[in-house]
Structure formats: C-alpha cells, structure tokens
Amino acid sequence: AVVSTQSTGNLSVSTMRLPIYGIGTYRLEDLATLRGVIRAVLPMGVRLFDTAQWYCNEAMIGEVLETELPNHGLKREDVVVVSKVHPRNHGYENAKKSALESVKCFGYIDMMLVHWPGMHNSEGVDMREMRAGTWRALEELQTAGVLRGIGVSNYTVAHLTELMTYTTTGPPSVLQSEFHPRCHQVDVRAFCNQHNIQFMGYTPLGRRDLFTKPAVVSVAEKHKITPSQVLLKWGLQKGVVTIPRSSSVERNVENALSWTDGKLLEQEDMELLDTLNDDHRYCWNPNLL
C-alpha cells in the first residue's frame, strides 16, 4: 500500500510517503498567498501539497517550497508533491512532455495523476487509446525515477477496470476523487480496497450548504469544534487522504487542527454524518463520460 498508518495520539498519520492529510491549491495562483499558506501549515506538520498543470501554480509552489523548507529545517524529500496531467495533454507524447515540464518545478514529483478520464473536443477521438497512451508515458517516467508514484483522478470503476487491461506496472497507487458526507463513492472505494489503491478525497468540505446541515452542526456543538473540522475528521477517520483547500491562512490553520488536535468523532457521529449521503457532486461528474 502507498499509505501505511500508525496511531499517533488519536488520529492516524502516514509513516510512508503519502500523508493522510494535505492541502489543495486549486485557484491559489498568487505567490504571496501560496507563501503565506505553506508557511502557516508547515509548522503544523502538513507535508502533502496537491497541485496540477491545470492550476497554473506548479512553478510558484516549487519556488515557495525551495525557500520555505530550509526555514523549517526540512528538505525536499520531507514533503510530498502530488500533481496531475492536464486533460488537454492526454496521449503518450503530450503527457510525457507535459509531465517532464511539471517535474522541472520540483526536481521530481512524488505522485503524478491523470487528472480526468476525458479531454476537451474529444469527438471522434478514441479516448481509451488516449488514456492508455497517457498511462504508458507515466509508467515510463516512473521507471526513470522522476515520478515516484503514479495514479489517476476522477476515474470511475469502468475507467479503472479498463486501466487494469493495459497497465504494465499494476494498479494505480492513488485514485483522487470528490469525497464528503454527501458523496461517499461507495463503488469506487470498494474497487480501490480490492486492488490496494489509496483513495484521496478532494472537496472534503463540499460547499457552504454542508456547514449548516443539522447533523454537521450538532456534531460540531457536541465536540466544540467547527463544522469544517467535523467534515474533515469524518473523511480522515474513514482512512481517506484528505486535501482541503483555502486561500485563507486562518482557515488553513483551522482545517489542519482537525488532523492535529487529537479529537475523534464517535461512531454515532460518523453514522449520523453518513446519513447525508445522496451521491451529490459539487464538482464535475465523470460518470457522464
């Protein structure tokens, strides 16, 4: 498994290269904002940073890490960078070329994902062939050592099953997809468990409507924590690598406390939050492909 956990305090943390908690950086495109956020969370033990070619911030994150890590007594190998191949870069040649450009920002990339199983203007395009070519490019770069791990994002069970027919390096190490109490991804997570694929959840806070759900509010009041901390603890306690995003330093600190404060939700809390599931997606839906 990519993630091996041991109990430290009341929450599990990774003892290997993929921590169970990290931060997302979508729409964080300002150098000062990125520096403020990363500078705030490094002392809290956050070591996973999720980016993508689509986010247009890989170079800035690489720059911030290069300057900030020494200030916290850390080296590049102490943190994990996850990035993703832009959907427009599907296919062997484009995927390989773009992934190498991403690598230049960090020296190497710990986990490179295929961002989306489709691509823009794909009418008449054999997407199975394109996905297979993209995966082959990542496999080669992993063999070369510039990608330490490879995986996929937003793949359905059908896409994962297809990938298993052409992979030469086994299952993807990671599947990243939307995950929160309204979107449990039961079938996808079952596939991941069966094939030893670590599930990573983005948009763990959903949208603001989740914060005011009576179930979330009651659990927050019970434990004297915030609704966002309730939502993050729910995902973490399910063993999902959780990557909330915010441009606010204060909100990032609040979010990280859900992982470091040592408080656990009780089983009855988890079951109450589970009742919110209605397979609702706030983001894109790969089932429509």
Side-chain angles (χ1 to χ4, degrees), residues 129-147:
E129 181 180 348
M130 295 296 279
R131 286 189 290 268
T134 300
W135 187 251
R136 180 162 58 92
L138 297 191
E139 287 183 312
E140 289 184 6
L141 293 177
Q142 182 182 32
T143 300
V146 294
L147 304 180

Side-chain angles (χ1 to χ4, degrees), residues 3 5 10-12 20 178-186 189-190 192-193 197-201 204 230-242 264-277:
V3 172
T5 60
N10 289 322
L11 289 176
S12 294
I20 200 167
E178 184 172 347
F179 185 72
H180 46 74
R182 291 191 64 188
C183 184
H184 290 193
Q185 302 267 26
V186 174
R189 288 169 57 220
C192 288
N193 289 336
I197 302 168
Q198 176 61 44
F199 188 87
M200 178 184 293
V230 169
L231 296 169
L232 295 173
K233 287 178 184 293
W234 176 85
L236 290 166
Q237 288 180 219
K238 287 185 177 291
V240 171
V241 176
T242 301
L264 278 174
L265 302 185
E266 298 172 0
Q267 184 61 33
E268 64 180 15
D269 303 325
M270 298 292 287
E271 292 173 357
L272 178 61
L273 296 169
D274 285 346
T275 65
L276 296 175
N277 186 39

